[in-house]
Amino acid sequence: MTPSTVQARVVVDEWVRGGVREVVACPGSRNAPLLLALHAADAAGRVRLHVRVDERSAGFLAVGLAARSRRPVPVVVTSGTAVANLHPAVLEASHAGIPLVVASADRPLELVGTGANQTIDQAGLFGGAVRAAITLPLAEERPRAAAGWRAAVCRALDRARGTTTADPGPVQLDLPLREPLVDDVADDTLPDWARGRPAGRPWTEVAAHEPRVAPLDLSAAVPTLVVAGHGAEAPDGLPDGVPVLAEPTSPLWGRSLCAGTRLLESALDGTAPELLPARVVVLGRPTLHRPVSRLLSDPRVEVVVVPAAAGDARARPGWTDVASSATRVGALPAPAAWGVDVAWGERVRAADARVSGAVRPEAGSGPGLAAAVVRALPAGALFVVGSSSPVRDVALAAEPRADLTVLSARGVSGIDGAVSFATGAALADGGPAYALVGDLTFLHDSGGLLVGPAEPRPELTIVVANDDGGSVFTTLEQGAPPHAAAFERVFATPHGTDLAALCRAHGVAHRSVDVDALAGALAPTGEPGVRVLEVAVDRSGRRADADRWRDAARAAVVDPDIAGTAPDA
């Protein structure tokens, strides 16, 4: 058995011992020993292997698997540009705190810089985006070498989980492999000198380390708003009288104000100053709304921040403070220790009900589609929301639901790999899963539809909001009339692509539906496979719609029985 074969089998064996259950791999020559070891482990039921031909899609598939399962997921690639294609996925995993393991096969060190084919200096390629960059020594037949390999794998998995560092995220495990890369041994046995610990234990067992911060003093009964952003942990409890403004990916979304951002706009611009909170408690990373950013930078408001929990794979450690306005950082106290301004909370909820009733996006708009999709999803479903317009439309227009699990790639909020991310999350979830993406996001990762006939498939329905271009810029500064001549070409970027033909080429079921037919079309099928529901959306009036909805919200938020003065900060 060649040393490279032994080393690859040891790495895969130690992954399994360390809790790895899913692995994504791309074909290649230099990573052949790992591919053969993974195929044998998959056949034995030790891991579930997912093979993809595009490294960028493979990386986001692994990120989706890890985001939903909360376990480290290795992605195995060959040397050269294959490794570089993983950089977008590594960045997403880094900023979202997702335990991704990049297993990059490499050429021996003596070949780097010699002009050898498919050879780059790839050790440490990801710089500060990874929590650790570990290079295994070249394989050789000696017992201490195998112990070193296993110890390095355990260290990589620990850094990915953030168990001892409270800083989960991606790691790179670089494996220089010397030829011969394959041999004639077909089973997955190991020589005695390379075997692991007895009873399937990992080589190094790591006990969890959970640093704690003291609870915040929130006993003063001042008007308090909880803002729960992406990566917010689920608190043990919140007082019933405290309003919550939560992004869809927060576990608190189910109890969020429906029109919270519109209330903030009115409070900040003076339309309804009585709705301005005196204190804001920030959980996770707010990533979606400009009114929230304005609120957190308002000097009238006290900002207190709850840092990420130790070992939580949804957020980096430390605390969120983009506006440099945080006055205190600490843990949430028990619900009974909060001071609650009951009257202010009731006033906010009453205004939320008035505005929610007054602002009803049309069915043919992006926000109207988002509201209809959320309304039609079956209870208990996994819902993956694409970045750009869809996640904002869900936040602005959909009625929050506590019976959905909502995921989105908000680490760096790119549209990269959205189809693959949703596929990975659906595979890890195991139940009926749904995704809502825009047409450009869908096309950006159309390679995610390329799945071989032997690969595991989830039950995943992807709803594509097709407005022949990008609408997220419409309501921003570049969407204003002075820039109309340039807008379509350089911002909206219409494409005219036939999505049905694209799906047909990949053997993916496609159906064009209107919003009224969504409820029936989204019913679970009980069959594995990806299907696409394309819904035509009109973006031509999106800016005017946003202005009209803003005016309607300002009119509805005013309560004639309230004098309209801001609370003291």
Side-chain angles (χ1 to χ4, degrees), residues 367-394:
L369 172 60
V373 169
V374 171
R375 190 165 53 246
L377 293 179
L382 171 68
F383 182 39
V384 182
V385 192
S387 290
S388 198
S389 292
V391 68
R392 289 172 171 81
D393 290 343
V394 169

Side-chain angles (χ1 to χ4, degrees), residues 11-25 34-50 72-74 188 456:
V11 168
V12 172
D13 180 60
E14 199 61 41
W15 278 342
V16 175
R17 292 165 179 263
V20 169
R21 296 295 178 265
E22 313 269 4
V23 182
V24 181
L34 286 163
L35 295 176
L36 293 171
L38 285 168
H39 185 270
D42 177 77
R46 303 185 73 201
V47 297
R48 184 166 62 161
L49 178 63
H50 309 270
V73 176
D188 61 349

Side-chain angles (χ1 to χ4, degrees), residues 504-522:
R504 188 164 56 252
H506 287 88
V508 171
H510 172 279
R511 178 182 168 191
S512 294
V513 299
D514 56 30
V515 174
D516 294 336
L518 269 178
L522 291 174

Side-chain angles (χ1 to χ4, degrees), residues 448-549:
L449 300 175
L450 179 58
V451 181
E455 300 311 307
R457 282 171 165 76
E459 183 183 341
L460 172 64
T461 301
I462 303 175
V463 179
V464 180
N466 189 357
D467 55 11
D468 192 29
S471 61
V472 68
F473 304 111
T474 305
T475 58
L476 302 180
E477 292 81 357
Q478 55 265 57
H483 309 296
F487 185 82
E488 274 297 295
R489 183 180 181 192
V490 300
F491 293 110
T493 58
H495 52 82
T497 302
D498 185 341
L499 300 191
L502 177 66
C503 291
R504 188 164 56 252
H506 287 88
V508 171
H510 172 279
R511 178 182 168 191
S512 294
V513 299
D514 56 30
V515 174
D516 294 336
L518 269 178
L522 291 174
T525 65
E527 298 292 332
V530 175
R531 57 176 177 151
V532 172
L533 301 180
E534 180 182 353
V535 184
V537 175
D538 182 9
R539 61 179 166 84
S540 62
R542 187 172 181 115
R543 188 177 185 89
D545 288 343
D547 291 341
R548 187 174 69 257
W549 296 330

Side-chain angles (χ1 to χ4, degrees), residues 40-365:
D42 177 77
R46 303 185 73 201
V47 297
R48 184 166 62 161
L49 178 63
H50 309 270
V51 179
R52 296 294 187 273
V53 300
D54 182 303
E55 284 82 10
R56 190 180 69 170
S57 292
F60 279 98
L61 179 72
V63 171
L65 283 161
R68 182 68 183 105
S69 69
R70 310 293 294 279
R71 291 175 177 267
V73 176
V75 54
V76 177
V77 298
T78 193
S79 62
T81 57
V83 189
N85 277 316
L86 295 175
H87 213 144
V90 168
L91 288 172
E92 175 61 31
S94 180
H95 289 270
I98 293 173
L100 177 72
V101 178
V102 173
S104 50
D106 205 349
R107 305 297 173 110
L109 181 62
E110 66 266 20
L111 294 182
V112 177
T114 67
N117 184 47
Q118 207 169 324
T119 302
I120 63 173
D121 187 3
Q122 64 190 45
L125 179 68
F126 304 107
V130 291
R131 304 298 183 266
I134 300 170
T135 300
L136 289 188
L138 277 169
E140 53 182 332
E141 294 187 20
R142 60 185 183 89
R144 292 311 303 164
W149 305 337
R150 290 186 180 275
V153 170
C154 291
R155 189 173 296 109
L157 292 178
D158 167 67
R159 293 302 300 273
R161 290 191 183 96
T163 311
T164 57
T165 63
D167 188 13
V171 299
Q172 182 187 9
L173 185 64
D174 200 55
L175 294 93
L177 296 169
R178 180 174 286 152
E179 298 177 354
L181 298 173
V182 298
D183 53 34
D184 295 331
V185 180
D187 58 33
D188 61 349
T189 57
L190 282 169
D192 290 342
W193 61 268
R195 296 188 186 279
R197 302 286 189 200
R201 300 198 312 272
W203 193 261
T204 306
E205 297 185 68
V206 181
H209 172 58
E210 298 184 0
R212 299 182 183 277
V213 292
L216 293 159
D217 179 5
L218 302 179
S219 58
V222 299
T224 299
L225 176 70
V226 172
V227 171
H230 181 71
E233 64 176 359
D236 292 335
L238 294 174
D240 291 336
V242 176
V244 175
L245 174 54
E247 295 185 2
T249 54
S250 164
L252 289 175
W253 187 51
R255 61 168 291 179
S256 177
L257 298 165
C258 292
T261 57
R262 303 189 191 280
L263 301 187
L264 288 185
E265 285 181 323
S266 295
L268 291 165
D269 69 13
T271 302
E274 70 277 2
L275 300 181
L276 187 73
R279 179 172 62 199
V280 178
V281 179
V282 181
L283 311 178
R285 289 175 54 233
T287 65
L288 290 179
H289 305 298
R290 288 189 175 189
V292 171
S293 299
R294 289 174 56 199
L295 176 71
L296 298 181
S297 61
D298 193 307
R300 296 172 292 177
V301 178
E302 181 194 15
V303 177
V304 297
V305 181
V306 178
D312 192 315
R314 291 168 295 177
R316 297 295 302 273
W319 60 88
T320 297
D321 188 18
V322 177
S324 302
S325 58
T327 59
R328 292 182 288 153
V329 176
L332 286 179
W338 290 59
V340 180
D341 187 332
V342 176
W344 184 80
E346 291 176 348
R347 187 181 306 156
V348 169
R349 278 187 286 274
D352 185 59
R354 291 196 303 274
V355 173
S356 298
V359 179
R360 296 288 184 182
E362 291 79 0
S365 67

